Amino acid sequence: MRRLGFLLGAYLVLALLGCGHGEPHTRPHAVEPWPSEAEGVRVKGSSAHVRILALIARGEFAEAQLLISEASAAGLISKELATRHLHRISVLTTRLGDIPATLQRAPDFPSQLKDYTLFQIRRMLETRDFSLATSAQLRMAVKLIEDQKRLMEK
Amino acid sequence: MDSSRLEALLARLKAARDAGGGQRGNAEQLRLHRELVKDCPALTPNLLALARLVLTTEEPGVDAEASLTEAEGLLEMAVQASERSAPALLELAYFLDDIRGREDEALRLMEEGAARALQSLEDAWAGLLLRYSLREQLPKALELAVRAEQLFPASERIQDAVQSVRESALRAGLLAPPRD
């Protein structure tokens, strides 16, 4: 949770600095509603679902977690959807320094981003904030975090 | 054919996988996988398993670039030995982009891997559609027919199989006959 606090603070700074000139809706990793769930929740829980998505998209993870547990307890969203949201939050709060050490020793590894989370790195890309790293380095960091899970799972 | 030799190789692959039970990527596990590569360089699953392990474990006293080079070599062997199978192509693609920053090359390999996988999917679905309908599992066949048609609108094989499922469903009264 220490990481989360840090992240929320950093997000505030980012929010003040940037105003989202990226095209988050066309990015391949943008948080999407899940079609199968979207059908199921439209009747009773669609607003909870959409609010959770919005909180996650803004990086308000503590608030999102709270809403997920409330909505799940009230039966507004399914257990599966709650789990998926929580999983996505854990991916977005993964820091670049959390991936396996061997991957961190790739020749062009942007080690200055080690303490930054996937969410923060994506925001830097989307707001064209290249003060810490180049666009190529930010993209590499995103791919390393998003892709590392497949290596560990098999 | 000497099937006992194959069985022995597969038993060694399983032993190497099981050796990671305590700690993934321990020295013993890496040794077993590497010896197996030496004895049977065409055993693709072993090549892929070792490459992933090498990429995700830090071996004491081994230089990072040496590990990365070893993984790259293994992945290239896997692509060759499998005659460019989808899993090997994809593993190499992710490596080349994530580690070497060769995104264009990775995209080409991912596209090739996806095309390979689609061919297999088309083959599998055409076979399943016919068999579901022969076993009179018509609701299942109809459901798959919808997905198959969406994904392979231009495939003659899928069209034929879907058509035959719908004919059976019509005869069984599971589909309303077309109006006029």
Side-chain angles (χ1 to χ4, degrees), chain B residues 29-162:
Chain B
Q29 185 183 25
L30 290 169
R31 187 183 66 78
L32 291 172
H33 277 297
R34 284 185 179 127
E35 277 180 0
L36 191 48
V37 172
K38 233 181 259 168
D39 294 344
C40 186
L43 191 59
T44 313
N46 183 51
L47 297 169
L48 295 179
L50 179 56
R52 284 184 211 116
L53 278 181
V54 167
L55 278 177
T56 49
T57 23
E58 217 173 348
E59 276 183 275
V62 176
D63 169 57
E65 184 49 41
S67 299
L68 299 177
T69 308
E70 180 187 3
E72 187 167 357
L74 290 164
L75 294 174
E76 271 162 4
M77 284 168 73
V79 167
Q80 260 188 299
S82 69
E83 295 193 300
R84 309 186 77 76
S85 74
L89 288 166
L90 295 175
E91 208 67 46
L92 179 62
Y94 276 106
F95 174 89
L96 287 180
D97 192 6
D98 291 352
I99 305 296
R100 301 291 191 217
R102 283 150 63 179
E103 191 178 69
D104 291 343
E105 218 170 316
L107 283 178
R108 278 198 298 277
L109 290 172
M110 284 176 179
E111 281 163 1
E112 187 184 346
R116 286 279 180 135
L118 268 181
Q119 272 171 15
S120 298
L121 191 61
E122 180 185 350
D123 203 12
W125 279 1
L128 283 173
L129 284 167
L130 177 63
R131 280 153 190 80
Y132 286 155
S133 71
L134 289 175
R135 294 163 74 116
E136 297 184 6
Q137 295 175 296
L138 289 173
K140 211 170 174 177
L142 286 169
E143 213 180 288
L144 181 57
V146 174
R147 295 172 68 197
E149 238 178 0
Q150 279 172 353
L151 196 53
F152 300 103
S155 158
E156 202 170 289
R157 272 195 80 195
I158 292 288
Q159 294 306 323
D160 286 346
V162 165

Side-chain angles (χ1 to χ4, degrees), chain B residues 15-29:
Chain B
R17 287 214 161 102
D18 292 348
Q23 194 214 337
R24 194 185 138 89
N26 61 57
E28 173 68 0
Q29 185 183 25

